[in-house]
Amino acid sequence: MADLVRTRQILADLVAFPTVSADSNLALIAYAANLLSEAGARLSLHHDESGTKANLFATLGPEGDGGVVLSGHTDVVPVDGQDWTGDPFTLREADGRLYGRGTCDMKGFIACCLAMAPVFAARPLARPLHFAFTYDEEVGCFGARALMDELAQAGVRPAAAIIGEPTMMRIIEGHKGCYEYTTEFRGLEGHGSDPDRGVNAVHYAVRYIARLLELAEKLKDRAPATNRFQPPWTTLQAGRIEGGAARNVIAGHCVVEWEMRPVQAGDADFVKGNMQAYIDEVLKPAMKEVAAEAEIVTHVVGEVEGLEPVAESEARRIVSELTGLSEAEVVSFGTEAGLFQQAGISAVICGPGSIEQAHKPDEFVATEQLAACLGILARLGEKLA
C-alpha cells in the first residue's frame, strides 16, 4: 500500500523531531505545514506567549461551517531515565512494529493524516476537512485550550472532531477529566534539634497528602450508579513530593504535585472545597502561629474537563460508519476531546496503537494499526466527497 509506505516515511520524520513538552514544536509544525500546503490546504498558525510553540490549523475543501476535524497533539513525554533499546528519536522497525517516542502517542495518527492529505485534496469535498495539531497536551492541554479560543475568534465552527489518541481503532465516546495541581508549602527553616522553633514544610505537606487520601476514600461512595468508568469513582493521586535541604534541617520549602480525575463536576468542587477549608482552618493557622510569613499556595497546572457520553453524537455516528463498529467505550485516561465538546463540537476518540504502549520505553505502533487508520481515513474522504 503506497499510503502506508508514505506514512512510514512521514512518521520517521515526525519521530526525529524531539518535541518533548518542555521544548519547542516549531520545527515539526513547519514540516507539517509544508506537507499540508503542498496538498493545497489553507493554513492558520498561532504561537504561544513564548513564541516557541504553535498550533497548526489547516483546511481542505469548501469554506463554511459543519466541517470535520482530525486532531492530534505534537508533544511527547520525556525519555529521561527510561531504558530504550535504541535511539528514542530514530524510528526503528521490527516484527511489524515501528518503535520510537511518540509513534503511538500520537505521531502515528498525525503521520496518517499528513500522508492522506493529497488523497483528500484530490476529492471534491462537500464539507470542510480540518487538521488540528496542537502543543502541550501532555502537560495540561494548553494548546487545545488556545485553539478553541482561536477558532471562536475566527468564526470557524466545525461540527465534529476525531481525536486520534491510541485506541486500537476502537470508538471512545467518554473519558474522565484531568485536573492537575502543584501545592507549595513555605515554612521556616531551623536546626533539626529544635523543631518547634521552625515550620517544617515537609511535615505539613505530608498532612496535606494524608487529607487527600482520606478524600480519595470518600469519593468511592460518590460514584454514580450508572457509571461505566473503571474505576467508577473520581480518583486522587499525589505523584511527586520534593522539599527540604538535609535530614538535620527543618524543611523550609516543599511542593506536592497531585492530580484528580473527576467522573462528575461536583466531585472536583467537593475536593477543592474540602482541601481549601483544611488549609484555611487547620494547616495555615498552625504554621502562622510560629511564622507569620508561612504560606500554602496551590497552582493550577491544568483543569481539563472530561468527554461526556451523549445520546446523540455526530462524531460517534461518523466513526461508527467508517469502522463498522456499533459499540462505543469509555476510558479513564484524558485527552483534548472534552475541550472540543465544551466548544460545542461533537467529539470522539479513535486512533492507531494501544494506550498501554504510551509513555513507555520502546514505545511502538503496529503497522497493521496504521493501515487500519489509513483505511478509515480513506473512507472518511469518500464520505465527505
Side-chain angles (χ1 to χ4, degrees), residues 192-224:
S193 64
D194 196 357
D196 290 344
R197 293 178 64 85
V199 177
N200 194 311
V202 169
H203 290 185
Y204 281 94
V206 169
R207 292 174 64 181
Y208 184 88
I209 292 173
R211 185 64 166 213
L212 283 175
L213 296 179
E214 290 177 12
L215 292 179
E217 290 302 311
K218 293 181 179 180
L219 287 168
K220 294 179 180 180
D221 296 329
R222 294 172 57 93

Side-chain angles (χ1 to χ4, degrees), residues 122-133:
R123 292 191 172 278
L125 300 177
R127 295 173 64 177
L129 179 61
H130 306 291
F131 303 81
F133 302 143

Side-chain angles (χ1 to χ4, degrees), residues 73 104-106 137-138 164-170 172 261 331-335 349 351-360 363-364 369:
H73 64 81
C104 166
D105 185 20
M106 55 184 300
E137 187 270 352
E138 296 288 4
E165 291 275 7
T167 69
M168 295 295 286
M169 301 310 300
R170 300 195 305 271
I172 304 300
R261 303 208 175 221
V331 293
S332 293
F333 64 84
T335 76
I349 308 159
S354 168
I355 195 64
E356 294 180 1
Q357 302 305 323
H359 301 189
K360 292 182 178 180
E363 175 183 350
F364 72 84
Q369 282 287 298

Side-chain angles (χ1 to χ4, degrees), residues 203-365:
H203 290 185
Y204 281 94
V206 169
R207 292 174 64 181
Y208 184 88
I209 292 173
R211 185 64 166 213
L212 283 175
L213 296 179
E214 290 177 12
L215 292 179
E217 290 302 311
K218 293 181 179 180
L219 287 168
K220 294 179 180 180
D221 296 329
R222 294 172 57 93
T226 57
N227 199 312
R228 295 159 58 197
F229 291 111
Q230 181 59 40
W233 50 76
T234 293
T235 58
L236 283 173
Q237 188 219 197
R240 181 174 175 271
I241 180 172
E242 180 180 6
R247 65 173 58 86
N248 59 350
V249 178
I250 298 170
H253 187 263
C254 188
V255 293
V256 174
E257 297 179 2
W258 60 283
E259 68 160 21
M260 167 172 47
R261 303 208 175 221
V263 298
Q264 52 193 351
D267 285 353
D269 295 335
F270 170 76
V271 172
K272 290 192 288 185
N274 269 272
M275 293 309 298
Q276 193 58 52
Y278 186 56
I279 288 171
D280 293 340
E281 299 169 11
V282 180
L283 297 184
K284 198 183 293 184
M287 296 170 72
K288 287 185 175 294
E289 187 176 341
V290 178
E293 68 272 25
E295 192 59 82
I296 301 175
V297 179
T298 294
H299 307 278
V300 178
V301 178
E303 294 182 333
V304 181
E305 298 298 335
L307 175 63
E308 181 181 352
V310 294
E312 174 54 34
S313 166
E314 181 177 4
R316 184 182 63 221
R317 186 171 66 252
I318 289 173
V319 178
S320 179
E321 293 173 359
L322 298 177
T323 61
L325 300 174
S326 59
E327 297 296 323
E329 306 169 39
V330 299
V331 293
S332 293
F333 64 84
T335 76
E336 297 171 331
L339 295 172
F340 281 92
Q341 187 179 64
Q342 280 186 310
I345 303 169
S346 175
V348 74
I349 308 159
C350 183
S354 168
I355 195 64
E356 294 180 1
Q357 302 305 323
H359 301 189
K360 292 182 178 180
D362 288 341
E363 175 183 350
F364 72 84
V365 64

Side-chain angles (χ1 to χ4, degrees), residues 19 25 28-29 54 72-76 107 110 133-136:
T19 52
N25 75 334
L28 184 153
I29 288 294
H73 64 81
T74 62
D75 61 318
V76 298
K107 292 179 177 179
I110 294 176
F133 302 143
T134 60
Y135 61 87
D136 282 0

